[in-house]
Amino acid sequence: MHSVCLQSDRPLDERKFDQWISKVLAEQGASILRAKGIIDLKGHDRRFVFQAVHMIKDGAFQRDWKDGERRWSRLVFIGKELDAPGLEAGFDACRT
């Protein structure tokens, strides 16, 4: 077991993120024990909280970003035989 942590100071494109994470879970879900994160999606004033177990994902907009709070995305995958470079490249492609 190991983890892969991804971060971005730039907002993510909502459509690209949804397509990418859906593909990752469909193709690698059996190796992913858990995934979770807080995502800054472009055009939204609220934090998107994401979680997944294997191929099952869920997410919802939670509270507003606070004034002065760092707006950034962070996503952690925990699993076995994770493709860290592939995950990083896919995540980076979601940036706006």
Side-chain angles (χ1 to χ4, degrees), residues 4-7 20 77 83-95:
V4 175
C5 301
L6 307 171
Q7 300 180 42
W20 169 74
F77 290 92
D83 174 15
L87 291 171
E88 290 171 13
F91 184 76
D92 289 347
C94 296
R95 294 179 183 180

Side-chain angles (χ1 to χ4, degrees), residues 17-96:
F17 176 75
D18 185 57
Q19 289 175 347
W20 169 74
I21 197 68
S22 295
K23 182 178 179 185
V24 166
L25 296 176
E27 294 176 357
Q28 302 177 48
S31 299
I32 298 170
L33 178 64
R34 181 102 161 90
K36 62 181 183 174
I38 297 174
I39 310 297
D40 178 16
L41 294 173
K42 183 178 181 179
H44 294 278
D45 292 327
R46 294 186 293 160
R47 302 172 353 146
F48 185 76
V49 178
F50 170 82
Q51 62 179 338
V53 176
H54 296 294
M55 296 172 209
I56 302 168
K57 68 176 178 157
D58 190 25
F61 286 99
Q62 300 292 322
R63 67 169 175 80
D64 288 345
W65 291 96
K66 296 177 183 175
D67 289 336
E69 179 180 16
R70 179 181 177 194
R71 289 185 68 149
W72 61 308
S73 298
R74 54 230 187 255
L75 183 60
V76 177
F77 290 92
I78 301 167
K80 56 185 177 187
E81 301 175 13
L82 299 175
D83 174 15
L87 291 171
E88 290 171 13
F91 184 76
D92 289 347
C94 296
R95 294 179 183 180
T96 60

